[in-house]
Amino acid sequence: MENTFDMLIIGSGPAGLGAALYAARAGLNAAIVEKNPVSGGQIINTTEVDNYLGLPGIGGYEMGETFRAHVEKMGAVFIEDTISSVKSSDGLYVAEGVSGTYTSKTIVFAMGAERSRLGIPGESEYVGRGVSYCATCDGAFFRKKDTVVIGGGDVAVEDAIYLAGLCEHVTLVHRRDELRASVSLQNALLSRENVTVEWNSVAEEVIGEGKVTALKIRNKETGETKEIPASGVFIAVGMDPVSELAKGVCDLNERGYIIAGEDCVTSAPGVYAAGDIRTKHLRQVITAVADGACAVSSAEVYIRTL
Ligand SMILES: Cc1cc2nc3c(=O)[nH]c(=O)nc-3n(C[C@H](O)[C@H](O)[C@H](O)COP(=O)(O)OP(=O)(O)OC[C@H]3O[C@@H](n4cnc5c(N)ncnc54)[C@H](O)[C@@H]3O)c2cc1C
């Protein structure tokens, strides 16, 4: 395979797929590199997506497949590889992957975001042995068992609702006295008989013996601590950008998001940031796909100047 491209798109979530579609339509010699065998990024982990125009109620996994099939039909080149570094060299960019080296005139960073870690004792020790960041991926392992979800936003509440349908009991641990999740999600959660909410409480330690047995929490108001017996601890306390590759290539903000506006232009010539990885107000599929298109439009202008 030819390894020098007009455009190398890293990540095949909605942003990368949007970019690949527009690049193919623009006749660019582009390739999209994805570390996973399937495309769709974060959205493949959700059961139902109801807010993407024209595809009401589509499953997340099916959405990824549908997007990818469309992009493949337009002739996009997919490479399964994990990119480990990107450097500029003689006016080009060189991306090192596990399976190959790719040289390109432009780069679109579309590596998205992933769940934040809490950093409490026991968390990393028990990842895969009771600690999880994805209820739809791992929930089935906890059928008829007790689980805890940590967080108070849409994702945490969605996770708790999903788990309530599988587990004996679900405890939601939230550090405030009200949830940030949408009212409809809150209502769906609080109407479940097998859900309890521990308000004003923070997780202090994941406790286990080979696998998770409990979560220790502290009530911020009273200072009291207690252990909630559980086989699974699901952490849903926010997202972090997957922007390690972009460090030293273009400017990032203090939270690690690549600084780029709606045109997806970064501080480095020929480098674009699309989707959840860039500074923006709304991180959703619809905005990620749109970013992909904008990144290609900006890159086309740049390529013409070379
Ligand atoms: C549980 C959940 C439910 C959601 N529900 C909705 C919803 O209902 N509606 C909605 O609009 N949005 C929803 N979202 C948000 C939506 O999924 C994201 O906004 C969107 O996926 C962002 O797309 P992206 O392409 O920017 O990044 P991502 O989806 O994160 O994709 C990034 C891709 O890059 C790949 N990658 C990362 N690093 C590398 C590397 N080094 N080399 C190669 N490949 C790499 C990853 O494997 C991944 O495929 C949800 C998110 C979650 C987690």
Side-chain angles (χ1 to χ4, degrees):
M1 180 189 294
E2 187 189 349
N3 276 358
T4 301
F5 302 100
D6 291 330
M7 176 178 285
L8 191 72
I9 301 158
I10 307 175
S12 76
L17 292 168
L21 176 65
Y22 272 69
R25 292 265 296 155
L28 295 180
N29 171 23
I32 179 165
V33 190
E34 170 58 54
K35 65 180 178 178
N36 289 326
V38 292
S39 293
Q42 294 163 59
I43 204 65
I44 64 174
N45 296 319
T46 197
T47 38
E48 190 175 310
V49 183
D50 230 351
N51 56 2
Y52 192 84
L53 200 63
L55 298 174
I58 190 168
Y61 192 88
E62 188 190 350
M63 183 176 227
E65 283 188 324
T66 305
F67 283 0
R68 178 160 175 161
H70 183 177
V71 173
E72 279 179 336
K73 193 172 158 205
M74 304 311 288
V77 174
F78 280 82
I79 300 169
E80 191 179 328
D81 201 355
T82 302
I83 300 299
S84 54
S85 76
V86 174
K87 293 196 171 72
S88 83
S89 169
D90 296 331
L92 293 170
Y93 291 93
V94 180
E96 286 292 344
V98 175
S99 317
T101 300
Y102 315 95
T103 306
S104 183
K105 293 173 188 166
T106 64
I107 296 282
V108 177
F109 285 127
M111 292 90 71
E114 62 184 16
R115 294 266 180 105
S116 307
R117 306 294 192 250
L118 270 177
I120 56 171
E123 180 182 7
S124 23
E125 188 183 343
Y126 288 110
V127 168
R129 290 186 292 153
V131 170
S132 168
Y133 299 87
C134 178
T136 40
C137 315
D138 299 332
F141 299 123
F142 302 93
R143 206 176 285 276
K144 304 274 179 228
K145 295 181 176 166
D146 291 346
T147 54
V148 181
V149 177
I150 304 165
D154 280 351
V155 173
V157 172
E158 269 185 47
D159 282 0
I161 294 168
Y162 178 76
L163 291 168
L166 293 170
C167 300
E168 183 68 23
H169 189 269
V170 179
T171 307
L172 183 75
V173 175
H174 183 44
R175 62 192 166 138
R176 298 188 211 285
D177 59 2
E178 58 182 357
L179 298 167
R180 276 180 294 110
S182 67
V183 173
S184 59
L185 282 174
Q186 291 191 37
N187 291 340
L189 178 81
L190 300 172
S191 64
R192 296 277 184 160
E193 284 183 356
N194 62 341
V195 172
T196 311
V197 183
E198 292 285 350
W199 301 103
N200 295 312
S201 296
V202 289
E204 294 232 299
E205 185 181 355
V206 178
I207 296 166
E209 267 183 35
K211 56 186 182 173
V212 169
T213 55
L215 179 75
K216 183 176 168 192
I217 63 166
R218 179 174 51 84
N219 185 299
K220 292 198 313 175
E221 304 284 291
T222 63
E224 268 175 48
T225 59
K226 67 174 174 182
E227 289 181 17
I228 306 171
S231 309
V233 171
F234 290 82
I235 298 172
V237 293
M239 305 294 290
D240 290 322
V242 184
S243 57
E244 196 61 33
L245 284 181
K247 281 185 187 159
V249 179
C250 56
D251 292 343
L252 314 184
N253 75 4
E254 66 293 344
R255 291 194 53 209
Y257 287 97
I258 299 176
I259 299 171
E262 223 176 286
D263 56 8
C264 299
V265 171
T266 72
S267 60
V271 176
Y272 306 89
D276 280 15
I277 200 166
R278 80 167 174 92
T279 46
K280 65 190 328 197
H281 167 62
L282 181 65
R283 294 193 174 89
Q284 289 279 278
V285 174
I286 203 157
T287 57
V289 170
D291 274 5
C294 293
V296 172
S297 166
S298 298
E300 280 186 275
V301 175
Y302 171 78
I303 289 168
R304 279 199 291 272
T305 68
L306 296 178

